[in-house]
Amino acid sequence: MDDLVLERVLRAVECVPRGRVVSYGDIAALVGIGPRQVGWVMRHYGSNVSWWRVVNASGDHAPFHRQRAFEIWADEGIEVKPNRLGCRIRDYRADLGELAAAHARACADLP
């Protein structure tokens, strides 16, 4: 994968505000790649960014990260759904317009 794409994905994740989440598809649409590619980036390079704010389209988190993500969510005010798989994405999704603007600013130095 292109280093520029990696950087754009990671910067997008860093733009997600505290107490908010986005889906892999939201990041993918912002960067211009597919959701699975975002998942690949997060799996391989996402440990140094706010990975707990990226969920699937249902608001669910990857099983192997749920425990830690939910601990951080509690601190950020994100409530876990009764099924204990994630959050209600419609309640906690970041404003995608504001995210796009923040991402444009964050990537202004990139070619």
Side-chain angles (χ1 to χ4, degrees):
M1 182 169 289
D2 182 288
D3 287 346
L4 183 58
V5 172
L6 293 173
E7 188 63 26
R8 289 177 56 77
V9 169
L10 297 174
R11 288 186 189 194
V13 173
E14 282 298 292
C15 290
V16 179
R18 177 180 171 82
R20 295 291 170 199
V21 299
V22 293
S23 71
Y24 293 99
D26 295 335
I27 297 291
L30 187 61
V31 175
I33 60 173
R36 289 181 188 262
Q37 291 171 298
V38 172
W40 185 90
V41 171
M42 293 304 294
R43 184 176 328 110
H44 294 282
Y45 298 97
S47 64
N48 290 325
V49 296
S50 48
W51 55 267
W52 57 91
R53 296 182 185 144
V54 183
V55 296
N56 70 19
S58 298
D60 297 343
H61 222 295
F64 46 89
H65 288 301
R66 274 189 198 130
Q67 173 92 17
R68 182 66 184 128
F70 293 175
E71 292 169 5
I72 298 169
W73 283 4
D75 184 52
E76 292 190 5
I78 299 172
E79 293 181 31
V80 176
K81 295 186 288 192
N83 69 6
R84 304 286 306 153
L85 298 177
C87 68
R88 295 185 200 281
I89 195 166
R90 71 177 179 268
D91 295 340
Y92 295 101
R93 179 176 264 137
D95 180 292
L96 299 181
E98 290 178 10
L99 180 64
H103 185 251
R105 288 189 301 274
C107 293
D109 65 322
L110 299 176

